[in-house]
Amino acid sequence: MSAGAALGAEVARAIDVTDLETPCFVTDLGALAANLRILADVQHQAGCTILLALKGFAQWSTFPLVRKHLAGATASSVAEARLAREELGGEVHAYAPAYSDGEMRELVTLADHIVLNSPGQWRRHRAQIEQARRAGRAISCGLRVNHEHQEVDVALYDPAGPCSRLGTTRRNLAPGDLDGLDGLHFHTLCQVNSDALERAVAAFELQFGELIPRMTWVNFGGGHHITRPDYDRERLVRVVREFRARWNVAVYLEPGEAIALGTGILVSTVLDVVHNGMDIAILDTSATAHMPDVLEMPYRPVIIDAGEPGARPHTYRLGGMTCLAGDVIGDYSFDRRLEIGDKLVFLDMAHYTMVKTTTFNGVRLPSIATHDPATRQITVHRRFGYRDYRDRLS
């Protein structure tokens, strides 16, 4: 069982989904608040600034709670930057592998920090950024660097892998490339503990340490699994505090998954049960459309009251309703036979789910809801229909 699923099982069992429309994402506000308190405590102890990475979690109906604990958000696109500015507030940081001139014209009206991926991007957009500064926008700029230190097992999520397009390596930095920049940004991690961060920081200092005294801030990127039960937060605090003391710079962290870890579920209903070599249950949710990381990463999501194939009396292959042959979530066993109308609850479905859903096949997107543990009420904030499918096409 994943850390997030283990964390979320107790939370999920307290949510009454009997009458809930499906498919539906539900985020528990109590679990989210608990994660945010942990992050706020780390922020205070380490003397750093923690930002919500919208690429991992952007359920803006929860932002009134988020803004009580975090300083702002980091965006990977102009649209995310606008969402941060208009719905969350606080600091808005932005990074993307490249920006067009048109995107930069909009971004300079939204972002407080802009990280460029290469010296070429800095040269291209510097005049436009400085024009915005003269007009009154206090924008701090930095460069993303690649110290080529690998800590991630899955190549799809490794920003420091061979031939990565993310960040500038030391050998590709020339004298003068950092002129006018205030900070450096590196990102190496994905779902790892703070020992990996400690090694990554050491590698960063080895490669780029001579450049840090010119800077006012360093961003340690994302991938910090800070709210995981076994995460070594004392080590994280020590690493950040010692780095700040060595270099006298501000430090930013920008986790996405850690904010929502163990806070959300995806509720689905069994639409049909067929047999072809084994029992197959067809659901009103989809791996490819609603939880694509199941196929991309890949991984096997945990379901309440289900086990490994063969571990319980009745084993089923769970599939989605799209026409993709590979739209299969996995094989699971249950204590009783599945019937049409049964609800299945997938754990740890708040992060990297809502932000990655698609309308492939015109399949309806899951509704988005929150659960208040104090009142035990579920509030559905968003429902999707035909126009959501139609209006993304022309």
Side-chain angles (χ1 to χ4, degrees):
M1 183 180 292
S2 71
L7 194 63
E10 184 177 348
V11 170
R13 291 185 185 280
I15 301 175
D16 183 1
V17 302
T18 305
D19 299 319
L20 183 67
E21 60 196 56
T22 64
C24 188
F25 291 115
V26 184
T27 299
D28 185 83
L29 296 177
L32 180 61
N35 281 352
L36 291 168
R37 286 193 293 270
I38 290 172
L39 294 167
D41 182 62
V42 168
Q43 190 171 234
H44 173 72
Q45 289 191 54
C48 63
T49 300
I50 296 181
L51 306 166
L52 162 63
L54 292 173
K55 66 180 179 181
F57 181 70
Q59 188 180 353
W60 54 269
S61 59
T62 68
F63 284 1
L65 180 58
V66 173
R67 74 169 63 98
K68 291 180 180 179
H69 301 277
L70 301 186
T74 182
S76 301
S77 66
V78 175
E80 284 187 350
R82 183 166 295 281
L83 184 71
R85 176 57 65 210
E86 295 182 355
E87 302 297 338
L88 180 61
E91 296 184 33
V92 178
H93 293 225
Y95 160 78
Y99 292 106
S100 69
D101 294 342
E103 287 172 327
M104 187 57 67
R105 276 194 296 273
E106 186 174 358
L107 188 65
V108 295
T109 69
L110 303 168
D112 304 300
H113 278 214
I114 299 175
V115 174
L116 291 308
N117 191 60
S118 68
Q121 279 277 294
W122 172 228
R123 288 190 292 270
R124 175 174 179 171
H125 297 301
R126 182 173 183 175
Q128 195 168 170
I129 292 168
E130 290 180 344
Q131 181 181 8
R133 287 169 171 167
R134 289 192 295 271
R137 293 284 294 129
I139 303 171
S140 180
C141 290
L143 180 72
R144 177 162 174 168
V145 295
N146 181 351
H147 52 318
E148 302 174 273
H149 174 80
Q150 295 184 256
E151 289 284 352
V152 179
D153 293 330
V154 180
L156 184 66
Y157 296 97
D158 187 358
C163 304
S164 173
R165 75 193 192 286
L166 303 175
T168 301
T169 60
R170 187 67 182 89
R171 71 180 67 90
N172 286 308
L173 269 181
D177 282 345
L178 297 179
D179 290 350
L181 295 175
D182 307 311
L184 297 174
H185 175 290
F186 70 89
H187 176 42
T188 309
L189 311 179
C190 177
Q191 298 184 341
V192 291
N193 215 308
S194 54
D195 58 321
L197 173 64
E198 189 165 26
R199 292 189 295 271
V201 167
F204 166 72
E205 290 177 306
L206 183 64
Q207 292 258 14
F208 297 96
E210 66 186 272
L211 306 177
I212 301 174
R214 301 172 55 182
M215 302 296 141
T216 60
W217 55 265
V218 172
N219 189 318
F220 287 7
H224 316 278
H225 242 198
I226 301 169
T227 53
R228 202 170 77 194
D230 66 340
Y231 188 88
D232 187 350
R233 290 189 282 272
E234 289 186 6
R235 185 198 296 258
L236 171 65
V237 168
R238 175 179 57 77
V239 169
V240 173
R241 292 182 68 167
E242 289 178 355
F243 185 90
R244 290 177 54 239
R246 278 195 302 276
W247 301 107
N248 191 31
V249 292
V251 171
Y252 293 92
L253 306 179
E254 46 184 45
E257 191 163 317
I259 279 81
L261 195 66
T263 68
I265 58 177
L266 173 59
V267 186
S268 177
T269 298
V270 176
L271 298 179
D272 198 8
V273 179
V274 299
H275 188 89
N276 181 12
M278 67 180 297
D279 290 329
I280 302 166
I282 300 173
L283 310 182
D284 66 354
T285 193
S286 161
T288 187
H290 298 161
M291 39 180 142
D293 272 1
V294 168
L295 303 181
E296 291 178 3
M297 196 159 191
Y299 83 104
R300 182 179 184 275
V302 176
I303 300 174
I304 287 286
D305 295 329
E308 295 289 333
R312 302 187 185 206
H314 305 285
T315 294
Y316 293 83
R317 177 159 295 171
L318 303 181
M321 79 295 268
T322 75
C323 68
L324 177 70
D327 188 2
V328 173
I329 298 158
D331 295 351
Y332 296 80
S333 64
F334 300 85
D335 290 330
R336 63 173 182 82
R337 293 192 180 278
L338 292 182
E339 304 288 344
I340 294 172
D342 283 347
K343 285 190 169 69
L344 300 182
V345 177
F346 293 85
L347 295 180
D348 206 23
M349 285 284 165
H351 56 83
Y352 287 108
T353 49
M354 287 175 262
V355 295
K356 298 186 77 170
T357 55
T358 74
T359 57
F360 174 64
N361 270 188
V363 169
R364 184 172 70 85
L365 297 171
S367 301
I368 296 175
T370 55
H371 174 256
D372 185 341
T375 62
R376 303 180 70 86
Q377 293 296 308
I378 295 175
T379 302
V380 179
H381 297 272
R382 182 77 160 90
R383 294 177 173 89
F384 299 89
Y386 165 68
R387 287 185 176 275
D388 298 290
Y389 166 68
R390 187 203 70 174
D391 289 352
R392 66 180 298 276
L393 303 167
S394 65

